[in-house]
Amino acid sequence: MTEQNVLDALKNVTYPGFTKDIVTFGFVKDVVVENTTVGLMLDITSSAEEVKSELIEKATAELKKAGFEEIHVNINAPQAPRQMSNSVSGKNIAPHIKNFVMVSSGKGGVGKSTTSVNLAIALAMQGKKVGLLDADIYGPNVPRMMGVDGQKPEIQGNKLEPLKAYGVEIMSMGSIMEDGKALIWRGSMIMKAIEQFLRDILWSELDVLVIDMPPGTGDAQLSLAQSVPITAGVTVTTPQEVSLDDSRRSLNMFKKLDIPTAGLIENMSGFICPSCDEESDIFGMGTSAKVAEEFETDLMARIPIEPAIRIGGDTGMPIVYHKPDSETAKRYQEAASKLWAFVEKVNAEDLAGNAGVQPTTAPGVSACSTGGAAAATPARATEGSPTPVENTEGIKMAKKPASDESCGTGCGCH
């Protein structure tokens, strides 16, 4: 009996949840064969006990079929993530992801996606296992910026495998929908899509998932905060006062959703001339520092206007990876280091939690019904929100209140 006999037998063992076998995945290690005795190591990516048990059982059965009599299958698996208090008292639909970073902005057009992309790659370059979720449903630009525009994710069972580039796992609505197609979705549909991006994508056991949010402070932010415990929030702004006004709303949203705030990133902060490398003030520089101080957080980085950033975004060659010696890349790397230090602090002090933003309305009772107000008190973040129900087209709508009184919010329940 030889090692090849072992590998041939184990090609019949598929990894749970996938269609590929454990040999193709490269999980079979350290095979030792002596007559009809075999020992081997399965180096897997899951810490789930049921996955380990299933693999040992199936591998043993296939090796017995191949004629081996004494079989020793050992498992090398990552340590199960520490179950934090928020996962018990709140909700976490993706517990295999260790940390979630919400990159948000008060308004669009401030470079939020560019920041998300370069932060994710910088974290990966620093040795972290990173995912990047493009949750900006209406403007999914991440595929182009990451150089995976036009690629479609593979289907494994009933789930999707994320795309990969620059050491980062990627998923975006732009990788699923048809090019140029407009999405006309109500808030409830966006909320459901974000949940599915967390639950139905085969993310690895990531150190961190960077989430590029839609601009503003709406349904998407609330839904995400209720679905998983956000470890850190990052607000992207530009130096102008009109942008800073909106950034204050974003930072205030983090407070209301119990999201630990890592800080602000001031984008378009000065201009670096590509010919002389001189930095000039165009829109203002450093004005975000006052806002950071106001919210007792940090100004993580000032990212200048540099032609290479725009070129990198348009061509799928992010500056932090392709021009690591540039001033901009160095600032992104510094911001990523500060972000990770903040993540470790949050974990050490067990500060990430979302129990306070969970809906508390009793099942079957409309939160916006004055008649149902006595039955339950909705959580503060969802106060006044209608309870969603499915109509015949699968689109969520608000239930009509039990009483004849209108809730007064203009939600249309009466």
Side-chain angles (χ1 to χ4, degrees), residues 185-250:
W185 282 6
R186 295 184 184 274
S188 57
M189 296 175 71
I190 295 174
M191 293 161 72
K192 183 64 177 176
I194 288 176
E195 278 200 22
Q196 287 186 286
F197 273 143
L198 293 167
R199 198 193 302 272
D200 296 338
I201 305 301
L202 290 168
W203 300 107
S204 301
E205 295 194 358
L206 302 173
D207 292 321
V208 59
L209 180 65
V210 177
I211 307 169
D212 179 20
M213 297 301 297
T217 55
D219 290 330
Q221 285 77 8
L222 174 58
S223 178
L224 182 65
Q226 290 179 332
S227 299
V228 294
I230 307 298
T231 318
V234 175
T235 290
V236 182
T237 186
T238 57
Q240 302 100 312
E241 288 299 328
V242 289
S243 178
L244 293 173
D245 287 343
D246 292 318
S247 297
R248 287 183 174 90
R249 297 185 184 97
S250 180

Side-chain angles (χ1 to χ4, degrees), residues 4 34 41 64 94 98 124 179 189 196 206 212 214 283 313 321 324 334-335 353 402:
Q4 190 58 48
E34 186 175 338
M41 177 73 73
K64 282 184 178 179
K98 297 174 186 174
D179 290 342
M189 296 175 71
Q196 287 186 286
L206 302 173
D212 179 20
F283 297 136
Y321 187 92
E334 183 182 358

Side-chain angles (χ1 to χ4, degrees), residues 384-398:
S385 302
T387 300
V389 293
E390 299 288 339
N391 68 2
T392 55
E393 297 177 347
I395 299 175
K396 292 186 176 180
M397 309 173 65

Side-chain angles (χ1 to χ4, degrees), residues 237-393:
T237 186
T238 57
Q240 302 100 312
E241 288 299 328
V242 289
S243 178
L244 293 173
D245 287 343
D246 292 318
S247 297
R248 287 183 174 90
R249 297 185 184 97
S250 180
L251 291 166
N252 192 45
M253 173 195 69
F254 288 157
K255 281 192 172 183
K256 288 186 175 181
L257 298 182
D258 294 338
I259 296 173
T261 304
L264 289 92
I265 291 182
E266 184 178 284
N267 204 20
M268 306 181 196
S269 180
F271 167 72
I272 294 182
C273 174
S275 301
C276 63
D277 290 331
E278 182 179 341
E279 189 168 355
S280 306
D281 183 351
I282 296 180
F283 297 136
M285 293 169 57
T287 53
S288 304
K290 183 179 178 182
V291 178
E293 183 179 351
E294 180 183 331
F295 283 85
E296 299 179 336
T297 189
D298 294 326
L299 177 57
M300 300 168 65
R302 292 191 303 104
I303 306 300
I305 299 172
E306 189 171 2
I309 301 178
R310 193 270 306 164
I311 295 170
D314 287 348
T315 61
M317 300 173 68
I319 190 170
V320 75
Y321 187 92
H322 286 278
K323 294 202 171 192
D325 294 329
S326 66
E327 180 61 28
T328 296
K330 291 175 183 176
R331 295 187 190 185
Y332 276 128
Q333 288 285 1
E334 183 182 358
S337 297
K338 289 180 179 178
L339 173 59
W340 191 252
F342 183 82
V343 166
E344 289 185 324
K345 178 179 182 292
V346 169
N347 288 332
E349 299 178 14
D350 203 13
L351 300 177
N354 62 4
V357 294
Q358 298 302 322
T360 58
T361 307
V365 178
S366 172
C368 61
S369 167
T370 53
T377 303
R380 65 182 183 282
T382 55
E383 198 167 318
S385 302
T387 300
V389 293
E390 299 288 339
N391 68 2
T392 55
E393 297 177 347

Side-chain angles (χ1 to χ4, degrees), residues 35-248:
N35 298 323
T36 57
T37 300
V38 59
L40 59 95
M41 177 73 73
L42 295 182
D43 191 1
I44 64 175
T45 59
S46 174
S47 60
E49 289 299 326
E50 59 270 23
V51 172
K52 300 177 190 177
S53 301
E54 182 177 338
L55 287 174
I56 291 173
E57 181 181 344
K58 288 185 176 180
T60 301
E62 291 299 331
L63 290 169
K64 282 184 178 179
K65 288 181 187 178
F68 290 97
E69 297 176 2
E70 187 174 346
I71 300 164
H72 304 279
V73 179
N74 299 307
I75 299 286
N76 182 31
Q79 185 177 0
R82 180 172 64 95
Q83 187 78 343
M84 296 186 290
S85 61
N86 56 57
S87 301
V88 176
S89 58
K91 183 178 180 182
N92 188 354
I93 65 174
H96 57 295
I97 298 173
K98 297 174 186 174
N99 298 289
F100 302 86
V101 172
M102 179 190 288
V103 181
S104 196
S105 66
K107 61 183 293 184
V110 297
K112 176 177 49 61
S113 295
T114 301
T115 299
S116 300
V117 163
N118 283 284
L119 276 181
I121 295 174
L123 287 166
M125 292 171 72
Q126 293 175 12
K128 309 300 183 292
K129 197 162 187 181
V130 184
L132 175 59
L133 172 57
D134 184 2
D136 193 347
I137 305 296
Y138 293 127
N141 302 126
V142 165
R144 179 179 297 280
M145 292 180 172
M146 290 291 285
V148 296
D149 197 28
Q151 296 183 30
K152 299 298 180 184
E154 291 185 10
I155 300 174
Q156 294 289 347
N158 60 352
K159 297 191 176 185
L160 293 178
E161 275 194 10
L163 302 173
K164 294 181 177 67
Y166 303 111
V168 176
E169 297 183 12
I170 311 156
M171 183 50 62
S172 169
M173 182 62 74
S175 300
I176 302 173
M177 58 190 278
E178 297 176 21
D179 290 342
K181 183 178 179 181
L183 286 179
I184 306 174
W185 282 6
R186 295 184 184 274
S188 57
M189 296 175 71
I190 295 174
M191 293 161 72
K192 183 64 177 176
I194 288 176
E195 278 200 22
Q196 287 186 286
F197 273 143
L198 293 167
R199 198 193 302 272
D200 296 338
I201 305 301
L202 290 168
W203 300 107
S204 301
E205 295 194 358
L206 302 173
D207 292 321
V208 59
L209 180 65
V210 177
I211 307 169
D212 179 20
M213 297 301 297
T217 55
D219 290 330
Q221 285 77 8
L222 174 58
S223 178
L224 182 65
Q226 290 179 332
S227 299
V228 294
I230 307 298
T231 318
V234 175
T235 290
V236 182
T237 186
T238 57
Q240 302 100 312
E241 288 299 328
V242 289
S243 178
L244 293 173
D245 287 343
D246 292 318
S247 297
R248 287 183 174 90

